[in-house]
Amino acid sequence: MRASRLLSVLLLLQNRGRLTARELADELEVSIRTIYRDMDALSASGVPVYADRGPDGGYSLLEGYRTHLTGMTAEEADALALSGMPEAAAELGLGRVLAAAQLKVQAALPTELSDRAGRIAERFHLDAPGWFREADHVPTLTGVADAVWNQRVLRVRYRRWATGGREPEVDRELEPLGLVLKAGTWYLVAVPSGEPGAQPRTYRVARILDLETLDVRFERPEGFDLWKYWHQRTQELTDALYQAEATVRFSPRALELAPVVLTPHTARALAEGTWPTDADGWVEAVIPIESIAHARHELLALGADVEVLAPLTLREQMAGVAHALAGMYGG
């Protein structure tokens, strides 16, 4: 552990130049006293590290000195796949491993490429969760990820979303195939254990209340592709949700607001279609809807900039809400 930290200190000084003891301690999540001891150890081992006193002081390496001790561990190499998603890596328990791997990659690059990599990191950032919502609390995620990686059967206590009169919490034994991070929400793709021929299913990790990793190894289905499975599953879900249509007139202002107010699937259908437009710029479009209630809630957000023509039930419900609002506000 200490040897790994000493290498991290050395690579930090090499990649970033002069750093104070406080900066190093914060970066490595250790005490300042530990940094002092690490600096003494590096100096004693022959590393040309120097301490400058004063307000602009700190630790630095002799100009021109570079280490080539940048070999990665297997864990660090694995963690590089998440190099663009530090929050996700941290949730998976790989935060420190990823940081060490990135340091080693940067140290191994020529100076020009290392500088370019630093500039990119300063200018681009991926923030996975959607706007105005918190990411799921996932205390079991690290254990799930470990079972996915090591192909171990999981015994879980799972809280179902729609029970239909059934018990809301169930016990399951699962063969975990992969994890998916979708808009800040983690999903586990797994096959029920002990059910030959069973198809993969999707579980929301935040609904896993308890888990136990069993000392049972399973074999992944031959040819299983996580990306293909997820792409197909999301398409099936979209098709299952949007099985009805509504004919709606949209004002020019509503067309501008549609990408923000409407669901992505509905907004895309509206934007990609070719619709008749009247002299005032209103368009008459046929849009997919999930249900009458969902469509009413969605379209009411556009106020008087939309008019529902069909189905009649949706039009009547929109009119009912409009009359109720007029009565409430004295209209």
Side-chain angles (χ1 to χ4, degrees), residues 4 13 22 39 46 113 118 125 132 156 161-162 186 192 237 242 246 255 259 264 307 327:
S4 175
L13 293 175
R22 167 55 63 191
M39 289 303 173
L113 294 181
H125 173 66
F132 311 118
V156 304
W161 176 61
W186 285 97
L237 180 61
Y242 294 92
L255 292 174
E307 179 190 2

Side-chain angles (χ1 to χ4, degrees), residues 38 45 57 60 79 82 84 123 134 158 168 173 176 180 185 214 222 227 240 260 269 296 312 322 330:
D38 287 348
S45 66
S60 59
L82 297 168
R123 289 163 172 77
E134 294 292 330
Y158 188 75
E173 288 192 3
V180 176
T185 301
L214 305 182
E222 186 175 353
W227 182 89
V260 178
R296 182 190 68 236
L312 181 59

Side-chain angles (χ1 to χ4, degrees), residues 148-222:
V148 169
W149 185 249
N150 293 298
Q151 295 179 221
R152 298 293 179 181
V153 175
L154 281 174
R155 180 180 292 140
V156 304
R157 183 84 174 160
Y158 188 75
R159 185 178 71 250
R160 291 188 284 209
W161 176 61
T163 62
R166 301 172 296 174
E167 286 293 325
E169 296 180 8
V170 294
D171 294 315
R172 294 281 188 266
E173 288 192 3
L174 305 173
E175 298 176 3
L177 304 178
L179 283 163
V180 176
L181 178 61
K182 172 73 171 179
T185 301
W186 285 97
Y187 295 93
L188 168 66
V189 178
V191 175
S193 185
E195 298 183 20
Q199 295 301 306
R201 302 175 188 176
T202 304
Y203 302 85
R204 188 165 176 168
V205 176
R207 296 184 182 277
I208 298 177
L209 306 177
D210 191 25
L211 67 82
E212 177 187 359
T213 303
L214 305 182
D215 191 19
V216 179
R217 183 179 172 84
F218 67 90
E219 294 300 323
R220 294 172 62 83
E222 186 175 353

Side-chain angles (χ1 to χ4, degrees), residues 1-2 4-12 16 19 21-31 34-35 38-39 96 99-100 103:
M1 182 68 178
R2 189 187 186 198
S4 175
R5 189 178 66 247
L6 289 174
L7 179 57
S8 294
V9 170
L10 181 55
L11 295 177
L12 282 168
R16 302 185 188 177
L19 293 170
R22 167 55 63 191
E23 289 170 334
L24 288 166
D26 290 344
E27 183 73 30
L28 299 174
E29 298 180 3
V30 296
S31 68
T34 297
I35 294 298
D38 287 348
M39 289 303 173
R96 288 192 178 184
L103 271 176

Side-chain angles (χ1 to χ4, degrees), residues 92-142:
L92 290 168
L94 296 172
R96 288 192 178 184
V97 177
L98 175 60
Q102 291 174 321
L103 271 176
K104 290 179 180 180
V105 169
Q106 193 172 7
L109 290 173
T111 302
E112 180 183 351
L113 294 181
S114 178
D115 291 344
R116 288 177 62 88
R119 289 199 299 273
I120 291 173
E122 291 171 354
R123 289 163 172 77
F124 298 96
H125 173 66
L126 172 65
D127 187 5
W131 281 103
F132 311 118
R133 59 173 301 233
E134 294 292 330
D136 279 346
H137 178 58
V138 282
T140 61
L141 180 60
T142 302

